[in-house]
Amino acid sequence: MRSLSLTSERAGHAWLVLLVLSLSAFPWYKDASLIAGPGASALFEALSGRGWFWPLIVTTALLGAASLTRSWQASNLALGLGLAAGVFYVWQGFAIGLRGPSAAWVGDLFARAQDGQTGLGWGGFLAGIALIGLLSDFVAARGFCRGERFPAFCITAIVALLTVFVFFPILKLGLAAFVDTDGNLALATFWARLSAPDLWGVGCFFGDGRCGVVVNTVVLGVLSATFATALGLALALLVNRTDFRLKRALRAVSILPIITPPFVVGVAIILLFGRTGLVTGFVADLMGVRPSRWIYGLPGILIAQVLAFAPVTFLVLLSTLEAINPTLEEAARTLGARSMKTFRTVTWPLLRPGLAAAFLLAFIESLADFGNPIVLGGGYEVLSVKIFFAVVGARYDLGNAATLAMILLALTLIAFWLQTRWIGRKSYVTVTGKSDAGLAAPLPPALKVAVIAVIIPWVIFTLAVYIIIATGGFVTDIGRWDLTPTFSHLETAFRFEFVENGLQLYGSAWDSMITTLWVAGLAAPLTTLIGILTAWLVSRQDFAGRRAFEFGTMLSFAIPGTVVGVSYVAAFNIPPVDITGTAAILIICFVFRNMPVGMRAGIAALAQIDKSMEEASQTMGAGGATTLRRVVLPLIRPAVFTALVYSFVTAMTAVSAVIFLVSARHNMATAYIMGRVEAGEYALAIAYSAVLMIVMILCVVIIQVIVGTRKLGRRQELQGRPAQQPAE
Amino acid sequence: MTVKHLSAATLAVLGLNVAVPATAQADELVLYCSVQEEWCRAMSEAFQRETGINVLMTRASSGETYAKIAAESEQPRGDVWWGGTGDPHLQAAQEGLTMEYVSPMLDQLQDWAQRQAETSGNRTVGIYAGGLGFGYNSELVTENPPACWADLLDARFADDVQVANPNSSGTSYTMLATMVQLMGEDEAFAYLAKLHNNISQYTQSGSAPIRAAATGETAVGIVFMHDAVAQTVQGAPIVAVAPCEGTGYEVGSMSIIAGGPNPDSAKAFYDWALTPEAQEIGATANSFQIPSNVNAATPEAAPRLEDIKLIDYNFALYGSSEERTRLLSRWDAEIGSLPQ
């Protein structure tokens, strides 16, 4: 085993062996099983006329020769050969397409190029991994990451994955913004799309005409993020800093919106506040006014978004609050500061990174939100919906969609930049590994009243929405207030029978349900792994290009789901990476879209943990990987939990990217529900959503049990009360 | 030590090994379906029972499906595109996304269905038809019900009419093209500008307006009449109206996707879907379109084309990409940009 250890001195040989095996022992192309034997490998394909493999094979052979010399990993020759192998690897994938060579000279050189080639299979992907490993080994040997192989490999692998699954598709789509419908370069068209008056108009502020879609989007995003952050903060303070009795119930209620499939909240809000809604009818009778359609547009989207994002901000702010070292607050109190002053001068400044992260998260989510505007938007257009209809509308215009996506991307990046400026370069380290005893200060009374005043209306509203969701699926027709109890909707979706040869699933929703569980169950741990790893690399490793690396990882979160979906179809429907129509494309899409959330949570948690503990670990002789596992991970458990829950739940409730990536074989629950809402089968949609939510609650509980919570000092105790069991 | 390090690498491998897709099974059909889910489901089940071919069905609106097929054109994943308004089918035919195929069933079809095949060079064929009209909620509109397009301009319907956005919906594009053919282009846009004062919302889905009318969210919804009838049959207080000035209609179509994975299954489905038995499935799934096979029974509740004053709809012209783009751009500039 020692000789194959991937981070030891002999790692280079191990990667080289893997590269040789991938070229000679495993089938290179897709649709062949792993044990198909060497007959389908790149080496045999090359011998049988597919000559475009020779440069890669020859370079690999030269690398093998070089590896016989001493300290070959650090030599310029090895690095040059490794880079050349990487280039040849990429080149062989793109030079020959599905139906033939991509350039005439390739066709002239290799006769068999006319046959074309399919996507990469086992051998192809293994070779990619081996090349990444080799290159990371070479750069580590030259002093990258202080010569540590584990972080060097992680960085190289994440960069490679981001390049393939984030930048490459977006680059393909970005190019589409600059070409007209015939595929020619057209800067004038781009400028015309960019400067269209229906994007930038501000008429609605002055009472004449309507506002542009960009203005609408920004107004909605700022309002929604502000309200959601305020509400999230109120919830976090109430749970972490008071002895409010219904805390656990409140925590449970606040989880609900996160696990709610997107369309169903919109539907419930319409059933409550629409023109024939329950509340509308009641108020109209009471006040004698004509029922109106005020809910359609900004008010409706705003309500639904605040309801949806407040729990996300709550989770972020709660983990920030939990990580504030109470000795600082105790010191302030001991020095004579009143509780309000302590909160203002000690707690609040320490909350700022959390607040910034929460606002940023809610703002970006609002920009990318698709489910609420499409149900409740009315005449209020936002970018995500406009992009969606530029792609799926009756007038397919990928160029316009790409242009709009660029604007949306720019908005998100500006928000990101502003937030970084606001947090500034102050130190927020409070968990130092030194004295940690202390109790969190209780909330000042005035603030407590304000917090409760904000939360009570929210609780009533949330309950009303969820009563609709809980009952809507089990009555005949909630839309027309036909409240006869029935199980017929549930039966349509989830009918099953026990017959002779076992369980038979007949319901129309089983397929999508099972696929969704598989995809979410595989995507969540992968997302968390990559997200937390990235957070650790960004905040703890010193390497060239760290800022660019951090920026790159955030990009995938900023790209609206709709655009990710189309760009994936455009990029991955053809070789070399030919994975549309598989479950893998769904998982990959979720991993790279949600990974920044895990990363942000990880960075926020790591920002509060002093480096000295890791340095102590390394002084004692532990390597990067051991330190990460034994010291860092236990300290940032709340972030791991946030990342796991968020990525799992998002994978189950996301829709905008998914509708392009689902296939007949792999359908997802949200795509199915969207279809039901579109077809007006509200009851079926609500019934399915209710079942989906119960499943998600079960899964979140399981995650909680597995991950657990962080225990630091006496932090579980509050105001001298005995420690409670962690809430769900 | 080594085991741990290996596991990190193994995870990276595992992350990619799911990327190896399942290989195609024998005797399968990937069906892109653009009518309502209930009908799609009934069709795939019936075909599966009849032939033993395993049907993998995806339902999406015709606009979405067209976009999907265009995006997948390098390596098509679907076999047959069944249902949805004819225009995107014609557009797909014009761009060569769909395959030329002459079914032996073709001579059993109604004239309008065969004309659809001729227009497209046999790349698509009509499977059902339905007239454009509107439906009103009889609980909200109790006296003097609207009977003509002109009635919808009445001030009493202020903020009470819904129609889909023609950019996203084939239904609404059919209305736009119908108005242009019925009134002349400038007059049509003048009418739509006046109608705009009464429109509360341009919905995204074509049949959403009639659902809003059924629950009382709006008084009038402009939709295909069979969608209005489906609401009536399900017990909603909806009355379907064939406008007195005359109206256009859609020819719901079916195409075989060029280069799909299972061409033989695709042809089997295509021929089967044109038989009277297959076409009569619609009525059992709450769909009241008129079937294209002359021998198929028209559902009792379906609005008969004979009872509707139909215009001579020019499918070739209004289904072409250029005309469509031009009309929609004009709609965006003159109607879509008006203050709400």
Side-chain angles (χ1 to χ4, degrees):
Chain A
M1 282 304 271
R2 184 87 209 167
S3 65
L4 273 171
S5 170
L6 293 184
T7 57
S8 75
E9 288 302 316
R10 307 192 58 184
H13 286 116
W15 290 121
L16 199 55
V17 168
L18 183 64
L19 181 61
V20 170
L21 284 177
S22 70
L23 287 169
S24 60
F26 297 123
W28 185 260
Y29 292 118
K30 60 179 263 189
D31 289 343
S33 82
L34 183 61
I35 47 160
S41 70
L43 187 60
F44 276 76
E45 294 283 0
L47 289 171
S48 62
R50 293 183 189 252
W52 53 91
F53 288 118
W54 284 124
L56 180 57
I57 293 168
V58 169
T59 322
T60 306
L62 289 176
L63 267 171
S67 74
L68 300 174
T69 61
R70 270 176 62 84
S71 67
W72 60 288
Q73 286 117 313
S75 71
N76 288 333
L77 177 70
L79 184 66
L81 285 172
L83 288 173
V87 170
F88 289 137
Y89 174 73
V90 174
W91 172 80
Q92 65 80 24
F94 286 98
I96 287 95
L98 189 63
R99 305 203 201 289
S102 54
W105 65 270
V106 181
D108 295 341
L109 211 54
F110 312 109
R112 275 201 69 189
Q114 302 303 338
D115 303 347
Q117 63 177 353
T118 59
L120 298 177
W122 282 101
F125 286 117
L126 282 176
I129 293 168
L131 279 170
I132 290 166
L134 258 186
L135 284 173
S136 74
D137 196 54
F138 293 164
V139 290
R142 301 168 82 88
F144 185 62
C145 283
R146 286 165 294 170
E148 284 198 50
R149 290 193 167 81
F150 177 70
F153 173 71
C154 291
I155 292 166
T156 321
I158 289 172
V159 168
L161 287 171
L162 285 176
T163 309
V164 175
F165 294 117
V166 178
F167 300 120
F168 167 59
I170 289 306
L171 193 72
K172 267 204 134 174
L173 199 67
L175 288 174
F178 295 95
V179 298
D180 59 17
T181 41
D182 301 325
N184 306 313
L185 184 71
L187 289 175
T189 318
F190 174 70
W191 179 247
R193 283 169 183 152
L194 195 63
S195 57
D198 61 340
L199 296 185
W200 306 99
V202 287
C204 60
F205 292 124
F206 309 107
D208 52 343
R210 30 176 35 190
C211 271
V213 60
V214 178
V215 179
N216 280 346
T217 310
V218 173
V219 168
L220 174 68
V222 169
L223 288 176
S224 164
T226 310
F227 285 124
T229 310
L231 194 54
L233 179 64
L235 281 166
L237 287 174
L238 196 70
V239 167
N240 189 250
R241 293 300 169 94
T242 69
D243 53 357
F244 183 67
R245 245 164 276 163
L246 294 171
K247 259 191 276 186
R248 291 187 61 173
L250 201 64
R251 255 180 113 125
V253 169
S254 71
I255 295 285
L256 278 179
I258 304 184
I259 58 170
T260 309
F263 305 101
V264 74
V265 169
V267 169
I269 287 176
I270 289 176
L271 293 172
L272 283 171
F273 297 105
R275 205 172 77 165
T276 49
L278 188 63
V279 177
T280 313
F282 181 70
V283 172
D285 286 348
L286 205 68
M287 318 278 276
V289 292
R290 183 174 181 244
S292 80
R293 297 171 39 85
W294 64 276
I295 196 76
Y296 297 96
L298 184 61
I301 313 176
L302 193 58
I303 291 173
Q305 287 195 343
V306 171
L307 206 63
F309 305 153
V312 182
T313 59
F314 163 69
L315 281 183
V316 171
L317 289 166
L318 187 66
S319 67
T320 317
L321 267 177
E322 279 174 347
I324 291 177
N325 191 334
T327 50
L328 291 172
E329 289 168 349
E330 274 189 350
R333 300 295 299 271
T334 314
L335 289 168
R338 287 166 180 275
S339 61
M340 195 64 188
K341 184 162 189 190
T342 308
F343 182 81
R344 201 162 40 86
T345 57
V346 178
T347 319
W348 179 257
L350 287 170
L351 271 175
R352 274 171 54 178
L355 284 171
F359 184 91
L360 169 68
L361 214 61
F363 183 74
I364 295 176
E365 286 233 26
S366 168
L367 291 185
D369 182 23
F370 170 76
N372 293 314
I374 205 168
V375 176
L376 290 162
Y380 193 86
E381 273 193 324
V382 297
L383 276 170
S384 61
V385 173
K386 196 154 167 102
I387 292 166
F388 179 72
F389 285 105
V391 175
V392 307
R395 195 160 41 121
Y396 176 73
D397 189 349
L398 196 62
N400 197 20
T403 313
L404 294 171
M406 299 267 167
I407 296 172
L408 193 49
L409 194 58
L411 285 178
T412 318
L413 296 181
I414 290 168
F416 181 54
W417 179 75
L418 283 176
Q419 298 290 335
T420 332
R421 292 270 301 201
W422 187 57
I423 301 172
R425 304 196 178 281
K426 293 195 183 112
S427 167
Y428 297 96
V429 171
T430 67
V431 180
T432 55
K434 295 167 195 159
S435 165
D436 181 53
L439 297 175
L443 210 55
L447 211 55
K448 191 171 165 184
V449 172
V451 159
I452 292 175
V454 169
I455 286 171
I456 285 175
W458 172 79
V459 168
I460 295 172
F461 188 81
T462 308
L463 283 180
V465 166
Y466 284 92
I467 287 170
I468 296 275
I469 295 173
T471 54
F474 308 101
V475 297
T476 309
D477 192 338
I478 192 104
R480 277 183 227 119
W481 288 107
D482 181 352
L483 299 181
T484 324
T486 172
F487 282 110
S488 66
H489 308 302
L490 206 59
E491 216 177 282
T492 314
F494 294 109
R495 194 158 59 87
F496 62 90
E497 283 167 24
F498 289 100
V499 291
E500 280 170 27
N501 44 1
L503 184 68
Q504 285 283 319
L505 306 177
Y506 288 108
S508 60
W510 280 115
D511 284 353
S512 56
M513 185 69 167
I514 292 164
T515 310
T516 306
L517 277 173
W518 266 110
V519 167
L522 285 170
L526 281 172
T527 313
T528 310
L529 179 82
I530 298 187
I532 297 289
L533 252 183
T534 313
W536 177 71
L537 292 171
V538 164
S539 37
R540 288 301 194 261
Q541 297 294 323
D542 209 15
F543 56 91
R546 192 164 58 97
R547 296 292 302 172
F549 181 70
E550 186 182 356
F551 176 79
T553 50
M554 283 309 288
L555 258 186
S556 63
F557 191 58
I559 303 160
T562 313
V563 177
V564 173
V566 185
S567 69
Y568 267 39
V569 170
F572 299 133
N573 193 40
I574 47 173
V577 186
D578 175 9
I579 52 173
T580 49
T582 65
I585 195 168
L586 290 165
I587 296 170
I588 288 168
C589 172
F590 285 130
V591 167
F592 291 98
R593 271 181 70 62
N594 298 332
M595 171 264 249
V597 175
M599 185 186 91
R600 286 256 73 116
I603 288 179
L606 284 169
Q608 294 177 319
I609 295 169
D610 195 81
K611 268 190 185 179
S612 61
M613 283 184 284
E614 289 148 66
E615 281 160 9
S617 160
Q618 277 169 331
T619 312
M620 309 289 272
T626 313
T627 307
L628 179 66
R629 197 176 59 81
R630 302 281 300 267
V631 178
V632 179
L633 275 184
L635 282 170
I636 58 166
R637 264 193 194 170
V640 173
F641 177 68
T642 306
L644 263 179
V645 168
Y646 182 87
S647 52
F648 183 80
V649 162
T650 313
M652 294 201 66
T653 58
V655 74
S656 49
V658 163
I659 45 178
F660 292 94
L661 303 179
V662 294
S663 49
R665 204 186 305 272
H666 303 286
N667 199 6
M668 293 282 283
T670 43
Y672 182 83
I673 291 173
M674 181 181 171
R676 305 290 57 73
V677 172
E678 208 176 51
E681 296 175 50
Y682 285 174
L684 184 54
I686 292 175
Y688 193 175
S689 303
V691 171
L692 210 55
M693 284 167 65
I694 293 167
V695 170
M696 276 188 269
I697 291 173
L698 287 176
C699 295
V700 171
V701 170
I702 293 170
I703 294 173
Q704 172 86 27
V705 169
I706 295 172
V707 177
T709 47
R710 169 176 61 179
K711 282 212 164 74
L712 285 178
R714 286 149 56 208
R715 210 60 64 74
Q716 291 297 326
E717 297 174 38
L718 188 71
Q719 289 145 353
R721 293 177 41 174
Q724 288 182 335
Q725 287 300 305
E728 74 295 326
Chain B
M1 199 66 183
T2 31
V3 178
K4 258 174 268 156
H5 298 153
L6 265 178
S7 70
T10 319
L11 266 175
V13 178
L14 278 177
L16 281 164
N17 76 17
V18 280
V20 179
T23 43
Q25 311 281 302
D27 273 354
E28 267 186 357
L29 176 80
V30 182
L31 178 65
Y32 290 169
C33 186
S34 298
V35 298
Q36 59 154 317
E37 168 95 8
E38 209 179 337
W39 193 5
C40 293
R41 239 162 16 216
M43 283 296 280
S44 26
E45 262 182 51
F47 181 67
Q48 199 162 335
R49 213 172 305 124
E50 184 106 355
T51 60
I53 295 172
N54 188 23
V55 180
L56 297 163
M57 185 269 289
T58 314
R59 201 223 82 97
S61 76
S62 48
E64 281 170 65
T65 308
Y66 168 75
K68 195 177 169 77
I69 294 172
E72 291 176 351
S73 58
E74 283 272 341
Q75 188 168 342
R77 309 280 172 164
D79 294 308
V80 176
W81 177 16
W82 183 80
T85 45
D87 304 328
H89 280 271
L90 288 176
Q91 204 173 342
Q94 197 184 349
E95 286 162 24
L97 297 172
T98 49
M99 195 181 87
E100 216 180 299
Y101 177 62
V102 182
S103 168
M105 303 296 294
L106 195 65
D107 49 3
Q108 287 188 31
L109 304 185
Q110 304 269 12
D111 288 347
W112 44 260
Q114 298 197 21
R115 261 205 310 279
Q116 186 80 350
E118 276 163 39
T119 311
S120 64
N122 289 316
R123 287 174 195 271
T124 188
V125 70
I127 48 173
Y128 61 79
L132 183 74
F134 52 84
Y136 64 88
N137 185 315
S138 57
E139 284 170 7
L140 293 173
V141 185
T142 45
E143 45 197 70
N144 196 9
C148 305
W149 291 118
D151 292 344
L152 300 183
L153 299 179
D154 201 324
R156 70 196 162 110
F157 294 125
D159 208 24
D160 237 354
V161 179
Q162 282 192 9
V163 65
N165 186 324
N167 283 306
S168 65
S169 151
T171 308
S172 182
Y173 177 75
T174 306
M175 177 192 172
L176 176 60
T178 297
M179 291 305 168
V180 170
Q181 292 171 75
L182 195 63
M183 304 175 177
E185 190 169 324
D186 291 334
E187 293 79 1
F189 276 94
Y191 172 84
L192 291 170
K194 275 189 216 140
L195 184 65
H196 180 84
N197 298 324
N198 284 354
I199 300 277
S200 63
Q201 183 184 343
Y202 292 100
T203 63
Q204 309 297 358
S205 144
S207 56
I210 201 65
R211 288 198 307 277
T215 55
E217 291 295 309
T218 187
V220 179
I222 301 173
V223 290
F224 283 119
M225 288 174 65
H226 49 253
D227 290 332
V229 168
Q231 291 292 335
T232 317
V233 171
Q234 286 170 58
I238 290 291
V239 179
V241 177
C244 68
E245 294 99 333
T247 189
Y249 61 102
E250 67 161 334
V251 176
S253 302
M254 166 169 65
S255 312
I256 296 181
I257 297 159
N262 309 293
D264 296 332
S265 303
K267 283 173 190 160
F269 181 88
Y270 195 94
D271 295 338
W272 173 81
L274 294 175
T275 61
E277 297 75 35
Q279 298 211 334
E280 281 166 12
I281 291 171
T284 65
N286 256 322
S287 301
F288 301 100
Q289 283 89 332
I290 294 162
S292 66
N293 190 305
V294 288
N295 301 318
T298 303
E300 210 149 292
R304 319 250 148 191
L305 289 181
E306 305 87 81
D307 306 340
I308 307 171
K309 197 169 151 193
L310 288 181
I311 61 168
D312 184 17
Y313 196 106
N314 187 341
F315 288 103
L317 175 62
Y318 293 96
S320 72
S321 298
E322 304 78 43
E323 184 67 3
R324 183 185 194 82
T325 307
R326 192 183 66 78
L327 282 179
L328 287 174
S329 305
R330 185 164 178 191
W331 189 91
D332 277 343
E334 295 184 20
I335 314 293
S337 61
L338 291 174
Q340 198 75 39

